[in-house]
Amino acid sequence: MQPSLFPSQNQDRAGARGAFRAGDLNRAQLEAATCMGAPVLVIAGAGTGKTRTLVYRMAYLIEQGVAADNILLLTFTRKAAQEMIERAGRLINDPGRKVTGGTFHAMANILLRRYGHHLGYAPNFTILDRSDSEGIINLIKSSLELGGSGKRFPSKRVVCNLLSRSVNKCTDIETVIADQYSHLEEYRSELERIFADFRKFKLEHGLMDYDDLLVNLRRVMTEVPRVREEIAERFNHVLVDEYQDTNPIQADIVRLVAAGHNNVMVVGDDSQSIYSFRGADFRNIMDFPKVFPGTRVVRLEENYRSTQAILALTNAIIDKAEEKYSKKLFSNIDGGAKPRLQGTLDEAAQARRVAEQIVELRGRDVPADEIAVLFRSGFHSYKLELELTNRQVQFEKRGGLKLTESAHIKDVLAYLRVTGNPGDHLSWNRILLLLDKVGPKTARNVLDRIRANEDPLEAIRAFPAGKSWRAGLDKLVELLLKLRAPGLEPVAIFDMVMEYYREIFERIYHDDYPTRSRDLDQLRQLISGYGDLQSLLDDTTLDPPETTDESLGGRLGSPPAQVILSTIHSAKGLEWDHVFVINLAAGRFPSCQPFMTAEWEEERRMFYVAATRARKMLYLSYPREVMSFDRQSRAGGMSPFLAELSPALLDSGPGGGTTMARSKLSPPARQGGAGRGGAPDINLLTEGVTVRHPFFGEGRIEKTSGKRSVEVFFPRHGRKTLHLDYAKLEIIG
């Protein structure tokens, strides 16, 4: 019998480390992996081995007698869950004993197919992707005559963003408009109507979007106690990765699944919470000990990625944060130069300098894909892209469409979707519009017949089609009859669809159908790995593969290594030997004003995330002059986040081109005071007082938040939380 991976509970843990094989845990990791009898919050600093800790935690629970299928692992990517579960299986030398794991959305999908009937959903509901949702929004707008000629009603994309933000922030449309979309206040009643009709449409047609998966899982667990009890009993140990990225709904789901046993361990890093624009809530990780009383907090601080010189800087960056779990990362990695600070005349000079350094690194045989350039916003890299192109340096800028977001792929999947769910009227609409001589009005008429008939195929067969498109409709009916044959595997269904669709495909995409054909070949390879249609449809919606997904057999071969250009948001979780962070200029990074406390602190965390991506060398650069949106050159200077750091942490000597000028560049956040000269008495800034702000204009104080902050509603900008040390408020009434 294989010896236990873990020391017995009465052994001294530090002394027992020798019993571990390769892949050993350090003291803090071991504590996190073996802690029992209390909720556990693992604050895992960048590069400190959180994945290893989660893997050993799963193995430890199984060794302690917990059944693998009673353990639930929630992650933000399917790949991460699969890899951790497989590693845990290898650790216990029993790959067959697998933990239940996946993304929040994937697990919600599985549970709602079992319990969704309590909310009126059949088990074969269809999952909508973003473009599907926008299509429904457009239909509703048209039915309400909100998007007609001469009207400037917000686009379907904006409406969809607003509705999604309302759901993920757990707030109503009125509040979201006030906070983020104040310019849409005149459309508030129409937007609320669209939201109501959108929800009704989805329920009536057996449809759920991404947000619905989480909302409905929380709802069924909240409203049906028996469901909550069954799920909590089934998953009596819960593990959550990247907890700092959860939104309020996801945090509620964790609380509900853990109800009654509180055997929950969440792993995350408050210092890497940078996704508020997606609905992530920094408060989830900060308030975890309040939600789960008796929480044991374990800090992972030994970094296995970066040199100590880089960590000294990153520690200093996050040490300035107003609210955090204190930690000091350290490393035993030998060597390493101080991060290099370089100021340049302007953005063009910065681009030339960074491009020159990249060429120099390549000349020293540094692999291209071990060099990354990170930036706050996508447009920050434009000049560098031109410089690299001129120097014939190949680069990859992260981003691009998912395979299943392409129109021709969505066409094919529509046929598969109606096969799996005949009530999916959105897919029926797409299929009908692919017929020659069929427009939106005709498609609606056919859809009306489908809705009124129990058998959609019978409704289509009996529809009085015109001569110009009767033959096309008959061919569609012939295909759908074939697809009804029992026992068909997904790849067989795909081949039948392609035999029918090929003519339509070449007619619609005649300009570039040869290129698009390669995507369809790739889709077939993907489908051939599935044994049932529902799993395929769920996966292509919940976790769509990239067009270059390696799992598809490398159809195009391995691309040459390229330098990576990436926004910081896209770089989180990745690492490279050499990392450049550019445009660290005042007004560019951070992109907000210091009185916007929450936004300012998140920008600081983004700087921290960027800097902690570097293994061997970190380069920080900024232009002294930047171009404004009106194409005027203005003084930039280093970011306040740079200016507040000790010069001793940085190499700003030859090649750096600057010194740390502290006096003029101290960040506004550290200047103190509520304004110059006649700053108002803080005691007078109470609820109901009318004030004037130099940027937001006139507003009314709605709430005081502690001694130094107020919430002010500005008619043109919505509700803002202002820190009185930064905001220059004038009392006017």
Side-chain angles (χ1 to χ4, degrees):
M1 180 178 178
Q2 178 181 335
S4 172
L5 295 169
F6 300 89
S8 62
Q9 293 301 298
N10 60 2
Q11 283 181 281
D12 175 74
R13 286 175 175 169
R17 289 187 61 196
F20 284 73
R21 58 190 182 187
D24 206 353
L25 304 181
N26 64 38
R27 185 187 295 268
Q29 291 170 338
L30 178 59
E31 179 183 358
T34 60
C35 179
M36 298 289 280
V40 185
L41 169 60
V42 181
I43 301 299
T48 58
K50 70 176 179 65
T51 299
R52 186 191 326 181
T53 304
L54 279 167
V55 167
Y56 271 82
R57 174 69 170 183
M58 287 185 280
Y60 179 76
L61 290 174
I62 293 172
E63 278 202 351
Q64 296 302 302
V66 178
D69 59 3
N70 289 147
I71 302 171
L72 175 63
L73 171 66
L74 293 171
T75 65
F76 280 85
T77 68
R78 179 176 57 181
K79 182 179 179 181
Q82 289 174 338
E83 288 180 351
M84 283 190 273
I85 291 169
E86 288 170 3
R87 284 175 59 182
R90 290 195 297 269
L91 270 180
I92 61 173
N93 199 27
D94 189 355
R97 296 173 65 188
K98 290 192 174 182
V99 169
T100 302
T103 65
F104 278 89
H105 291 87
M107 294 309 301
N109 168 55
I110 291 171
L111 292 171
L112 286 170
R113 294 200 184 278
R114 178 171 181 177
Y115 297 112
H117 64 90
H118 291 287
L119 305 180
Y121 280 93
N124 66 338
F125 62 81
T126 293
I127 303 171
L128 303 173
D129 65 14
R130 174 57 183 256
S131 61
D132 293 332
S133 296
E134 289 183 356
I136 297 173
I137 294 295
N138 227 25
L139 289 174
I140 295 172
K141 280 175 57 181
S142 298
S143 69
L144 297 177
E145 298 183 352
L146 298 174
S149 175
K151 296 185 178 181
R152 298 183 60 84
F153 195 80
S155 69
K156 61 184 180 182
R157 179 184 61 82
V158 171
V159 173
C160 219
N161 285 342
L162 190 153
L163 300 187
S164 183
R165 191 169 187 86
S166 169
V167 171
N168 283 291
K169 288 288 188 180
C170 297
T171 189
D172 55 33
I173 296 295
E174 180 180 6
T175 302
V176 173
I177 291 175
D179 286 346
Q180 301 289 331
Y181 298 88
S182 57
H183 59 293
L184 301 181
E185 174 60 33
E186 63 181 300
Y187 302 113
R188 177 160 59 85
S189 61
E190 291 93 338
L191 289 167
E192 289 172 340
R193 173 70 184 279
I194 288 175
F195 197 9
D197 287 1
F198 185 41
R199 285 184 294 190
K200 181 180 178 183
F201 182 97
K202 289 183 291 184
L203 181 60
E204 289 178 347
H205 296 89
L207 306 171
M208 289 194 205
D209 60 24
Y210 291 154
D211 297 333
D212 293 327
L213 291 171
L214 300 184
V215 169
N216 287 334
L217 177 59
R218 180 182 63 174
R219 183 182 160 202
V220 74
M221 292 180 71
T222 301
E223 296 179 2
V224 187
R226 181 172 58 82
V227 171
R228 180 175 66 252
E229 291 164 4
E230 283 185 15
I231 294 174
E233 183 179 358
R234 162 70 190 278
F235 301 118
N236 54 33
H237 283 81
V238 183
L239 309 177
V240 188
D241 190 19
E242 302 285 12
Y243 194 70
Q244 78 282 347
D245 294 336
T246 55
N247 64 28
I249 303 174
Q250 290 164 327
D252 281 347
I253 289 171
V254 172
R255 176 179 55 80
L256 290 165
V257 175
H261 57 71
N262 281 356
N263 293 322
V264 56
M265 184 176 92
V266 302
V267 180
D269 185 3
D270 55 297
S271 301
Q272 298 187 66
S273 178
I274 61 172
Y275 290 119
S276 64
F277 71 97
R278 294 182 185 170
D281 193 339
F282 176 70
R283 297 253 48 95
N284 286 350
I285 194 165
M286 300 308 298
D287 294 344
F288 185 86
K290 298 178 184 177
V291 175
F292 291 93
T295 291
R296 186 167 176 175
V297 180
V298 181
R299 291 170 172 81
L300 305 186
E301 298 175 300
E302 183 172 358
N303 178 281
Y304 297 93
R305 173 189 300 162
S306 307
T307 65
Q308 189 59 47
I310 292 173
L311 296 181
L313 181 78
T314 60
N315 285 337
I317 291 170
I318 208 63
D319 189 54
K320 305 293 184 181
E322 287 199 352
E323 186 177 9
K324 61 186 177 296
Y325 287 99
S326 297
K327 56 185 175 296
K328 290 290 183 183
L329 300 188
F330 66 93
S331 173
N332 291 315
I333 299 174
D334 294 333
K338 291 181 182 179
R340 183 178 300 173
L341 176 65
Q342 48 198 31
T344 59
L345 175 62
D346 54 22
E347 292 174 88
Q350 175 185 242
R352 289 193 297 272
R353 176 63 177 145
V354 172
E356 289 167 358
Q357 290 173 304
I358 290 173
V359 170
E360 179 187 348
L361 289 171
R362 295 291 293 119
R364 291 173 13 212
D365 293 329
V366 174
D369 55 1
E370 285 296 349
I371 303 171
V373 183
L374 309 182
F375 32 85
R376 170 63 183 84
S377 301
F379 71 91
H380 287 179
S381 70
Y382 289 166
K383 286 185 170 59
L384 177 60
E385 292 172 39
L386 294 175
E387 284 292 334
L388 293 175
T389 300
N390 290 337
R391 288 172 165 80
Q392 297 184 331
V393 175
Q394 291 189 324
F395 64 87
E396 173 192 349
K397 188 171 183 180
R398 290 291 163 88
L401 288 176
K402 299 282 190 181
L403 172 64
T404 50
E405 290 175 349
S406 303
H408 51 297
I409 300 296
K410 290 180 70 66
D411 290 346
V412 174
L413 290 177
Y415 296 100
L416 273 62
R417 286 180 175 181
V418 298
T419 302
N421 176 13
D424 182 353
H425 294 159
L426 194 67
S427 292
W428 278 118
N429 186 64
R430 187 179 193 96
I431 289 170
L432 292 168
L433 289 174
L434 291 173
L435 295 174
D436 197 18
K437 311 299 183 183
V438 172
K441 183 176 180 180
T442 301
R444 282 198 298 271
N445 290 336
V446 179
L447 277 174
D448 288 342
R449 293 289 186 94
I450 290 174
R451 292 189 183 99
N453 197 308
E454 290 185 1
D455 186 347
L457 195 53
E458 203 51 51
I460 295 174
R461 194 206 301 266
F463 190 86
K467 290 183 179 180
S468 62
W469 59 284
R470 177 78 255 176
L473 191 64
D474 289 341
K475 287 184 69 175
L476 175 61
V477 170
E478 181 182 351
L479 168 69
L480 297 174
L481 281 171
K482 291 180 181 178
L483 297 182
R484 282 188 170 184
L488 289 176
E489 292 188 351
V491 71
I493 295 174
F494 173 86
D495 288 341
M496 291 179 184
V497 169
M498 282 306 305
E499 183 180 353
Y500 162 83
Y501 175 69
R502 179 66 61 181
E503 181 180 342
I504 297 173
F505 169 67
E506 294 182 3
R507 168 173 54 83
I508 295 176
Y509 306 106
H510 59 89
D511 287 337
D512 62 348
Y513 77 82
T515 300
R516 291 174 182 259
S517 290
R518 291 196 291 269
D519 292 338
L520 293 171
D521 293 339
Q522 188 175 351
L523 180 62
R524 189 185 189 281
Q525 292 182 41
L526 174 68
I527 289 174
S528 65
Y530 285 84
D532 69 280
L533 184 60
Q534 190 64 61
S535 296
L536 164 69
L537 295 176
D538 289 348
D539 285 352
T540 55
T541 306
L542 287 168
D543 196 7
E546 300 282 356
T547 55
T548 57
D549 196 320
E550 295 176 358
S551 66
L552 301 181
R555 174 176 56 84
L556 301 179
S558 298
Q562 297 179 323
V563 173
I564 303 299
L565 309 187
S566 176
T567 62
I568 296 169
H569 286 109
S570 296
K572 184 174 173 291
L574 304 175
E575 57 189 71
W576 299 270
D577 284 348
H578 295 261
V579 171
F580 295 80
V581 186
I582 63 173
N583 266 329
L584 283 163
R588 288 288 175 88
F589 198 154
S591 62
C592 60
Q593 297 298 317
F595 53 77
M596 302 168 70
T597 307
E599 293 88 344
W600 184 273
E601 288 301 307
E602 180 159 323
E603 298 263 329
R604 183 195 307 283
R605 296 193 293 270
M606 282 207 296
F607 182 27
Y608 174 82
V609 167
T612 54
R613 300 308 95 197
R615 296 193 196 102
K616 297 179 179 179
M617 192 63 202
L618 175 64
Y619 308 79
L620 308 174
S621 67
Y622 69 93
R624 297 189 187 91
E625 293 181 2
V626 296
M627 192 70 72
S628 61
F629 287 107
D630 58 1
R631 301 191 62 78
Q632 298 297 312
S633 180
R634 62 175 179 80
M638 66 174 66
S639 163
F641 297 151
L642 280 175
E644 67 187 5
L645 298 174
S646 168
L649 298 171
L650 291 151
D651 173 10
S652 54
T658 187
T659 57
M660 298 286 282
R662 311 283 305 171
S663 58
K664 292 179 65 177
L665 295 172
S666 294
R670 303 302 169 202
Q671 291 177 352
R676 293 188 298 269
D681 184 343
I682 288 178
N683 295 323
L684 298 178
L685 295 171
T686 57
E687 295 179 16
V689 171
T690 303
V691 295
R692 179 182 290 112
H693 185 273
F695 178 79
F696 297 125
E698 292 187 10
R700 177 182 290 274
I701 296 176
E702 293 190 340
K703 182 181 178 182
T704 58
S705 303
K707 295 181 179 179
R708 313 298 296 177
S709 296
V710 292
E711 290 186 12
V712 184
F713 178 78
F714 298 95
R716 295 188 61 186
H717 297 277
R719 188 177 294 103
K720 303 294 178 184
T721 300
L722 304 180
H723 198 298
L724 298 177
D725 286 345
Y726 312 143
K728 297 176 175 62
L729 294 179
E730 174 188 356
I731 296 176
I732 60 175

